[in-house]
């Protein structure tokens, strides 16, 4: 049987494209190497944050936002510097996406039944000039239901259509090649994998039990990036971020391996901006891992003091939650793969959140009762579990004891107690007044001018060495792999381009595999909440085009 469209990858981008095609009655085949129970892919594990501009939630929180301000932030953050070449289509996708985020994105999501937590988060705050990197205002909208809540309406529609025979959905089908005839992509070739019953997220069997070949007028690649392939991450690591880390934790399951990028490149597809990637600096080794080397990211408020592995405090803009890649560069240039937060019990109970749907079961399970419990004294349940069982946490009643524990955990004597103490005392003296020369303390006070931060996200400024704020806490932070910012270059219809800039007939891409649009919609940096949104937008655009 010949299909109108084959979609490779049942993650959020692939599902969104299929949903658009279902509405027009196209004959669609959806294939994925994982189990049917893993539908939704990487998006399922996310915190469910979406970038929106001038939303009702923002306005209710007193946030004044606009397309113009959002575009200013995007351009200042992306730093596009290859506009005549690798960034040419990424720039166009970026402009279209910000228009979408400031326009119909909100009502479109609402029409799918998606709802939002009322407090808008302020991620990636920048810490530079107005025209530089970062979000000028809070734009991080958490979906009620987190990642599963984003995936649900699209997965449900696809599964219902498959159940009625309107489309074909074939899990455990791993694509190994694209069929090409007369320069056009006309189908897929691959291996059928044996059935498996592993838990979602765990590495599934790769035992092959058969072969397949399917043909279609168009093939859409929606297979994700390279975040779990640590060797490929190191291979493409940019020199501007220092040497590649020897030790990293994986923020995504093993199936995020980049295999379809090589398959597409082999038939002439152009892969651009391979040196652009988005990895986090606040990774924890998961005490209760689902996949191998499973890492969890801390979503920090701005108050923790951040030190490198030798005990020197980072300077602006390298404060918690301000500039991810600048801090990553600073860490890697120390020659070590880790850094440290030092904070208090008062800070952790208000400012620490953990990324991921499984770390936020109150929001994921849509339990208002459990969400309200976050206002009670003490850190969230998932954070408390890491305090008790996570290997990266040190808790002590004195700074000397804390520093000794940090050195013991690191297996070296890099940290000098007196040097750490002097830096903390200097910072604590700046708390005496409501004005200060310490840029981080100024940022903390500024953050509390936003009602959302003051209520649930930023602790009242206090001295770290105040016994009433204790005990003291140190957290070792690992490099956590996450997103591929480059990818297959595509035009605004989602058609994959070749090295000459011409479209490859029959081949399209959506989601992370195409850098969330054009081979790099983010440029060098992300404003956060833009990865899920990029999957939705590119999947929607490709699906709409192929529906005609």
């Amino acid at each position: 049987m010949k299909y109108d469209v084959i979609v490779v990858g049942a993650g959020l981008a692939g599902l969104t494209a299929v949903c658009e095609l279902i509405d027009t009655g196209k004959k669609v085949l959806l294939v994925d190497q994982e189990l049917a129970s893993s539908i939704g892919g990487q998006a399922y594990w996310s915190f469910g944050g979406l970038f929106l501009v001038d939303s009702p939630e923002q306005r209710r929180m007193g946030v004044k936002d606009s397309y113009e301000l959002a575009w200013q932030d995007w351009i200042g953050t992306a730093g596009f510097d290859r506009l005549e070449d690798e960034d040419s289509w990424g720039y166009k996708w970026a402009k279209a996406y910000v228009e979408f985020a400031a326009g119909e994105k909100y009502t479109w999501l609402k029409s799918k039944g998606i709802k939002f937590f009322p407090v808008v988060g302020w991620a990636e705050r920048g810490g530079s000039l107005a025209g530089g990197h970062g979000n000028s205002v809070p734009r991080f909208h958490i979906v009620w239901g987190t990642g599963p809540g984003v995936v649900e309406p699209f997965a449900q529609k696809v599964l219902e259509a498959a159940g009625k025979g309107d489309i074909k959905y074939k899990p455990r089908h791993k694509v190994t090649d694209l069929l090409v005839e007369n320069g056009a992509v006309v189908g897929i070739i691959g291996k059928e994998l044996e059935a498996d019953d592993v838990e979602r997220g765990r590495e599934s069997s790769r035992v092959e039990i058969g072969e397949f070949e399917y043909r279609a007028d168009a093939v859409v690649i929606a297979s994700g990036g390279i975040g779990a392939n640590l060797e490929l991450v190191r291979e493409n690591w940019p020199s501007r971020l220092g040497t590649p880390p020897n030790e990293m934790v994986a923020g995504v399951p093993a199936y995020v391996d980049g295999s379809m990028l090589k398959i597409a490149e082999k038939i002439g597809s152009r892969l651009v901006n391979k040196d652009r990637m988005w990895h986090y600096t606040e990774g924890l080794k998961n005490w209760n891992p689902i996949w191998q080397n499973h890492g969890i990211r801390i979503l920090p408020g701005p108050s923790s003091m951040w030190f490198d592995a030798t005990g020197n405090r980072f300077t602006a803009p390298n404060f918690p939650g301000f500039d991810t890649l600048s801090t990553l560069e600073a860490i890697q240039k120390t020659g070590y793969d880790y850094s440290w937060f030092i904070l208090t019990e008062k800070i952790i109970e208000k400012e620490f959140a953990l990324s991921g749907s499984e770390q936020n079961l109150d929001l994921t399970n849509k339990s208002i009762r459990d969400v309200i419990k976050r206002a009670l004294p003490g850190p969230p349940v998932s954070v408390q579990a890491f305090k008790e069982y996570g290997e990266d946490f040190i808790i002590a009643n004195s700074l000397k004891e804390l520093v000794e524990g940090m050195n013991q955990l690191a297996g070296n004597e890099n940290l000098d107690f007196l040097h750490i103490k002097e830096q903390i005392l200097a910072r604590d003296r700046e708390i005496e007044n409501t004005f200060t020369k310490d840029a981080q303390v100024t940022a903390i006070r500024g953050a509390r001018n936003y009602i959302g931060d003051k209520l649930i996200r930023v602790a009242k400024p206090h001295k770290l060495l105040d016994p009433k704020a204790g005990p003291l806490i140190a957290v070792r932070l690992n490099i956590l792999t996450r997103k591929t910012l480059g990818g297959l270059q595509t035009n605004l219809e989602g058609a994959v381009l070749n090295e000459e800039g011409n479209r490859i007939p029959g081949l399209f891409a959506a989601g992370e595999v195409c850098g969330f649009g054009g081979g790099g919609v983010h440029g060098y940096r992300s404003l956060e909440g833009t990865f899920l949104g990029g999957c939705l937008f590119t999947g929607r655009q490709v699906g709409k085009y192929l529906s005609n």
Side-chain angles (χ1 to χ4, degrees), residues 169-448:
Y169 171 37
K170 294 182 179 292
R172 306 301 287 156
H173 280 58
K174 180 179 180 178
V175 175
T176 57
D177 282 295
L178 295 168
L179 270 173
V180 180
E181 294 178 357
N182 299 319
V185 173
V186 297
I188 57 174
I189 300 172
K191 305 291 185 181
E192 186 176 352
L193 306 178
E194 70 174 355
D196 204 341
D197 59 356
V198 296
E199 181 184 352
R200 178 193 281 266
R202 297 195 185 278
E203 194 165 354
S204 62
S205 169
R206 287 295 179 265
V207 174
E208 299 168 0
I209 60 171
E211 300 179 345
F212 64 82
E213 178 181 313
Y214 297 109
R215 292 175 172 261
D217 294 327
V219 174
V220 179
I221 301 175
S223 55
I226 67 171
N229 189 334
L230 301 189
E231 289 309 309
L232 202 52
V233 168
R234 293 187 182 98
E235 180 183 319
N236 291 294
W237 191 269
S239 59
R240 65 181 177 274
L241 295 181
T243 57
N246 290 320
E247 299 293 331
M248 293 182 278
V249 290
V252 293
Y255 54 75
V256 187
D257 58 11
S259 59
M260 285 303 301
L261 286 166
K262 291 184 178 179
I263 291 169
E265 198 172 20
K266 187 170 66 174
I267 61 104
S269 303
R270 190 180 189 211
L271 186 57
V272 297
N273 299 314
K274 290 189 286 186
D275 63 327
R276 294 180 184 170
M277 49 188 70
W278 190 253
H279 305 307
Y280 291 111
T281 50
E282 314 98 332
L284 302 175
K285 295 179 180 178
N286 195 345
W287 66 271
N288 188 23
I290 296 171
W291 52 83
Q292 186 177 3
N293 196 29
H294 187 176
I296 295 293
R297 185 203 173 195
I298 298 170
L299 301 171
S303 301
S304 299
M305 289 188 71
W306 203 337
F307 296 88
D308 69 22
T310 63
N312 294 307
R313 185 184 178 191
F314 288 117
T315 58
N318 303 323
F319 305 140
F322 278 72
D323 192 330
T324 294
L325 288 197
S326 175
T327 314
L328 179 57
E329 179 182 353
I331 291 169
Q332 288 308 113
K333 288 185 176 178
T334 67
Y336 293 90
D337 299 334
Y338 67 93
S339 59
W340 296 97
F341 277 170
I342 293 180
L343 60 150
T344 65
E345 183 70 19
K346 279 190 176 181
I347 292 173
I348 199 171
E349 70 179 23
K350 195 158 188 177
E351 297 199 7
F352 266 38
L354 299 176
S355 185
S357 54
E358 82 284 9
Q359 298 296 329
N360 297 275
L361 293 178
D362 51 353
L363 292 165
T364 302
N365 295 331
K366 304 179 183 180
S367 171
I368 295 174
R369 177 183 296 178
D370 288 341
V371 169
I372 291 172
K373 290 179 181 177
R374 291 194 180 216
L376 298 175
V381 172
S382 58
V383 175
Q384 183 61 35
F386 270 87
K387 279 181 63 182
E388 293 180 11
Y389 307 117
E391 66 176 86
D392 295 309
F393 281 75
I394 304 291
I395 302 169
N397 290 315
S398 73
L399 183 60
K400 192 171 193 308
E401 181 187 353
L402 188 79
V403 174
E404 288 173 353
M406 294 163 72
N407 279 330
Q408 184 177 357
L409 178 60
N412 56 46
E413 295 295 324
N414 281 351
L415 303 178
D416 178 75
F417 160 66
L418 290 178
H419 182 50
I420 297 286
K421 183 178 181 179
E422 287 169 0
Q423 293 174 88
I424 295 177
L425 283 173
R427 178 264 186 204
D428 280 1
R429 292 186 189 106
E430 300 291 319
I431 299 295
E432 297 283 359
N433 298 292
T434 57
F435 47 89
T436 175
K437 71 175 183 180
D438 189 295
Q440 184 177 5
V441 176
T442 296
I444 294 166
R445 295 192 186 281
R448 284 174 61 84

Side-chain angles (χ1 to χ4, degrees), residues 1 35 56 90 131 142 145 226 293 442 521 538:
M1 176 182 178
L35 288 68
I142 300 169
I226 67 171
N293 196 29
T442 296
V521 72
T538 53

